[in-house]
Amino acid sequence: MAGCAAKAPVSDPVAETDQGGVPDDAEALDPEVIAAPVSEGELTQAEQAVLNARFGLLFDLEDHDNADVERYFNYFNHKARGTMERWLERSQQHLPYVRRVFTQYGLPQDLVLLPFTESGYNVRAYSWAGAGGMWQFMKGTGRLYGLRADWWIDERRDPYKSTDAAARHLRDLYDRFGDWYLALAAYNAGEGKISRALKLTDCDDFFELTANNHKLTGRAKLKPETKHYVPKFIAISKIFQNLDTLGYNPVSWDMEPAVVPVQVPGGTDLLALARAGGLTWKEFHDYNPAYRRQVSPPHMETTAYLPAAKADSMIAYLKDPGSRPYAGYTQYAVRSGDSWWRISNRFNVPVAVLKGVNNTKSDTLRPGQLVMVPGNEKGRVVASSPSEDTPSSTRAIASRRSNYVVRSGDTLWSISRKFGTTVDTLKQSNGLRANTLKAGQKLYVPDNSGQATRQAVKDAEQAKAQLVRYKVRRGDNLTAIARKFGVTVAELRKWNSINSSNTIFAGQNLKVYVH
């Protein structure tokens, strides 16, 4: 794994709370990344010509034609061809930036292909040993090159910062060994391991070193992964240089996303930032996979990448975050008998993080005290255990799953008769305490069927059709907008997640459901 030999001290107590964990959306490396070289049948005449040829358009490393290179070349062209095609497609949004950075550092252009060898160009990939991101940095090596990885954020997943770090790391390894193949081997195994192996075998070349690996013993011996690393890289380079000849779709160099990098203050509500740009959490997180929570680390400034088309409204939010606070948090009311440790277990958030977010060092909590709990990176607020579901959380879930719109004159009893269920079931499914309903209210009716279901769907579609998107104008306020559409201010606040301390701003889009 990349840089597995280097380690660095942890810089703050909060970082220590999650040194061994990986994000909830971590993806395992594709098996093809770590597969041993295998052949499947004979190479075609065109494939053999590509394997034997030298190319120098953008690729200026020397080629070494050996058995492992041929086996990997065969493997990725045949047995693992589908995976290779998927990797090529995934790489298109990153390749232009990687090539730009490596050009700035004066590195050989071949090296833009290294993430294929490391991760298949997957920013969310993690190895069994804990290496992360498309460059597969271990935490220690990442920290040496400025990549932070803790409970809040993992910058090894930041395609921009990690690419710059990888360029500097590769440059340093080349300065150490004076040979690119040895530098690549050291990227995989660690520079200390390669240095010792060279000294013990009295070699100065990667292929000579692997040929003499049998002379090494114990921990000094190179692992098969390291022996195969450079041949695999060379094989993938040959494929990439000859996509058309080998029958692959061409790689587009015009798919780099247009983003605006901005500095985000500590403790920024990232979910509210996403909503300010009209983005879902998933959309925002695709641009910013480094964030592990819906709130940025409270103890440091971080970099967020905003889609250029949405950047203006998102930057406006950052200048006035009070306009929509706490979308990425949940407020928890302390109960009798609660402690920081108990709340930590309930929400799966470290005590140090909870105290940091709530700006306190005190161990004392009092019933009724409100504690802010940050949301996680999956796009939902960290939830309590099922046994402690609250009516408000049930209502929120029911609202998302709603399949019936209350009409004038409806009662829980009449709705239960219509759908063949009970009043108690309706109340429990929707987190209702009282029996009162109001027209336009959305309910979730479980296990409904037949004609009633079709009517409910029709009603839901009708309600959806009555949604109006209103763009706030200069001088508008919630009261004036409410009067304009014949709704209440409370409804406007509810539909748009605006609390009593929020302000609205010109250009903001509001949802209005016209009765």
Side-chain angles (χ1 to χ4, degrees), residues 279-358:
L279 302 177
T280 65
W281 174 253
K282 182 183 182 304
E283 290 168 337
F284 177 84
H285 202 225
D286 285 343
Y287 284 103
N288 296 276
Y291 288 119
R292 297 188 59 179
R293 313 292 158 192
Q294 293 180 339
V295 180
S296 72
H299 49 281
M300 63 180 287
E301 194 174 60
T302 54
T303 304
Y305 305 96
L306 313 181
K310 312 277 189 178
D312 287 348
S313 58
M314 299 175 81
I315 291 172
Y317 165 80
L318 288 173
K319 291 179 180 178
D320 182 21
S323 61
R324 290 187 76 174
Y326 309 135
Y329 294 86
T330 188
Q331 281 188 332
Y332 174 75
V334 176
R335 306 171 187 176
S336 179
D338 271 342
S339 64
W340 286 114
W341 178 83
R342 189 171 180 180
I343 297 172
S344 170
N345 283 347
R346 180 175 296 144
F347 290 98
N348 195 27
V349 177
V351 170
V353 170
L354 287 171
K355 286 187 173 182
V357 166
N358 289 277

Side-chain angles (χ1 to χ4, degrees), residues 253-485:
W253 292 83
D254 300 320
M255 295 184 66
E256 181 181 5
V259 296
V260 178
V262 297
Q263 292 306 108
V264 173
T268 292
D269 189 330
L270 299 175
L271 181 57
L273 174 61
R275 290 176 176 174
L279 302 177
T280 65
W281 174 253
K282 182 183 182 304
E283 290 168 337
F284 177 84
H285 202 225
D286 285 343
Y287 284 103
N288 296 276
Y291 288 119
R292 297 188 59 179
R293 313 292 158 192
Q294 293 180 339
V295 180
S296 72
H299 49 281
M300 63 180 287
E301 194 174 60
T302 54
T303 304
Y305 305 96
L306 313 181
K310 312 277 189 178
D312 287 348
S313 58
M314 299 175 81
I315 291 172
Y317 165 80
L318 288 173
K319 291 179 180 178
D320 182 21
S323 61
R324 290 187 76 174
Y326 309 135
Y329 294 86
T330 188
Q331 281 188 332
Y332 174 75
V334 176
R335 306 171 187 176
S336 179
D338 271 342
S339 64
W340 286 114
W341 178 83
R342 189 171 180 180
I343 297 172
S344 170
N345 283 347
R346 180 175 296 144
F347 290 98
N348 195 27
V349 177
V351 170
V353 170
L354 287 171
K355 286 187 173 182
V357 166
N358 289 277
N359 195 29
T360 182
K361 295 180 180 179
S362 173
D363 292 328
T364 304
L365 292 170
R366 65 181 186 279
Q369 178 181 345
L370 293 179
V371 172
M372 302 304 296
V373 181
N376 70 7
E377 83 281 2
K378 276 193 173 180
R380 64 177 186 272
V381 172
V382 183
S384 59
S385 63
S387 62
E388 294 180 326
D389 282 345
T390 62
S392 60
S393 64
T394 302
R395 285 195 294 272
I397 295 169
S399 178
R400 289 194 297 271
R401 302 171 65 190
S402 61
N403 53 11
Y404 183 75
V405 180
V406 175
R407 303 173 180 179
S408 179
D410 273 345
T411 65
L412 286 173
W413 183 83
S414 67
I415 295 171
S416 70
R417 290 291 300 274
K418 179 185 293 186
F419 290 98
T421 184
T422 67
V423 170
D424 284 343
T425 298
L426 286 175
K427 292 178 73 173
Q428 291 174 13
S429 299
N430 291 275
L432 301 177
R433 288 174 173 162
N435 292 324
T436 56
L437 297 173
K438 63 179 180 179
Q441 182 176 351
K442 294 182 179 180
L443 296 179
Y444 168 60
V445 183
D447 300 325
N448 54 8
S449 58
Q451 182 179 355
T453 298
R454 290 192 292 272
Q455 184 60 49
V457 171
K458 182 178 179 181
D459 289 343
E461 289 175 348
Q462 181 181 2
K464 186 176 180 181
Q466 292 173 336
L467 170 64
V468 174
R469 299 277 182 180
Y470 178 74
K471 190 171 186 178
V472 177
R473 303 170 184 174
R474 187 176 301 277
D476 270 345
N477 56 49
L478 289 177
T479 302
I481 297 171
R483 287 174 180 166
K484 180 179 295 187
F485 289 98

